[in-house]
Amino acid sequence: LGTLFGTLIAIPVGIISAYKQYSVFDNVGTFVTMLGFSLPVYFTGLLAIVVFSVKLDWFPSFYDTTNDVQLTSWSSIWIQIKQLILPVTILTLFQASSLARFTRASALDNLNQEYVRTARSKGLSESKVINVHVMRNSLIPVVTLLALTIPGIIGGAILTETVFRINGIGQLLITPICTLDVPLVHTHTILS
């Protein structure tokens, strides 16, 4: 979910930031993406727990595994969703930060190309120039980067699952590290 939401947020933010270069939107977007990219996932997760769970009491501070099987009512489904909002948001911020910066740089490079000037001189509308010519060519390196960020997402998921106490792939790595189960740690590291 973090990869999906991060991609859906990052591409429009990167394209709009490139199109409106040095505007308020671009400056705020650049600041937020640099902040999200530079802060570690575990620090952002702990900060989110302190602010949104302890101070504001909006979300639970950890994932409660007793509700995993009891998806029989809408209230238990809402509890599951509420427990996943903070971890997914943290992973989305991490994913969107790197992709938005890369999308902006790629779109800025494409905005200055000859084919964009030719499309504008033909009389195409600005939205058609951006959506068809700039976006299509800007997404080629972004898709490549998206494939290369999957190991980083898995590493971020390990830390996020540990911070929010979610039983998942992160717990599968942390438990053998604590019990010194070297073969399981090697297998997990090779597969991820």
Side-chain angles (χ1 to χ4, degrees), residues 42 98 103 110 114 134 136 139 146 154 178 184-185:
Y42 60 88
S98 60
T103 304
N110 284 310
E114 293 292 328
V134 174
R136 184 181 299 169
L139 290 183
L146 184 63
I154 292 173
C178 293
L184 188 56
V185 173

Side-chain angles (χ1 to χ4, degrees), residues 17-191:
S17 291
Y19 181 68
K20 297 182 178 192
Q21 189 179 15
Y22 304 124
S23 67
V24 174
F25 183 85
D26 182 34
N27 290 334
V28 169
T30 302
F31 176 75
V32 170
T33 56
M34 290 303 284
L35 193 66
F37 189 71
S38 62
L39 290 176
V41 174
Y42 60 88
F43 176 75
T44 312
L46 291 173
L47 188 65
I49 288 173
V50 168
V51 172
F52 295 109
S53 297
V54 176
K55 298 287 184 191
L56 298 175
D57 197 29
W58 288 353
F59 302 107
S61 61
F62 63 92
Y63 189 82
D64 187 13
T65 57
T66 58
N67 293 322
D68 280 346
V69 186
Q70 304 167 353
L71 291 178
T72 55
S73 67
W74 285 108
S75 64
S76 62
I77 293 173
W78 174 244
I79 291 170
Q80 291 282 351
I81 291 171
K82 204 171 174 184
Q83 290 176 350
L84 289 176
I85 287 175
L86 282 180
V88 169
T89 303
I90 299 303
L91 288 175
T92 299
L93 177 67
F94 177 71
Q95 179 73 15
S97 298
S98 60
L99 280 178
R101 289 177 57 233
F102 202 77
T103 304
R104 180 186 181 274
S106 179
L108 275 175
D109 184 44
N110 284 310
L111 278 169
N112 297 323
Q113 296 295 326
E114 293 292 328
Y115 62 86
V116 174
R117 278 186 242 148
T118 305
R120 285 179 177 149
S121 66
K122 282 182 177 181
L124 289 176
S125 67
E126 196 65 24
S127 64
K128 188 145 184 132
V129 169
I130 297 296
N131 291 333
V132 174
H133 296 287
V134 174
M135 192 145 114
R136 184 181 299 169
N137 291 316
S138 296
L139 290 183
I140 294 170
V142 172
V143 170
T144 305
L145 179 71
L146 184 63
L148 294 174
T149 59
I150 291 175
I153 284 293
I154 292 173
I158 290 170
L159 293 171
T160 306
E161 287 176 1
T162 304
V163 167
F164 289 100
R165 297 190 337 180
I166 299 173
N167 291 330
I169 197 167
Q171 192 66 30
L172 183 65
L173 179 64
I174 298 300
T175 303
I177 287 174
C178 293
T179 59
L180 301 175
D181 188 359
V182 177
L184 188 56
V185 173
H186 281 255
T187 304
H188 188 280
T189 307
I190 290 170
L191 292 177

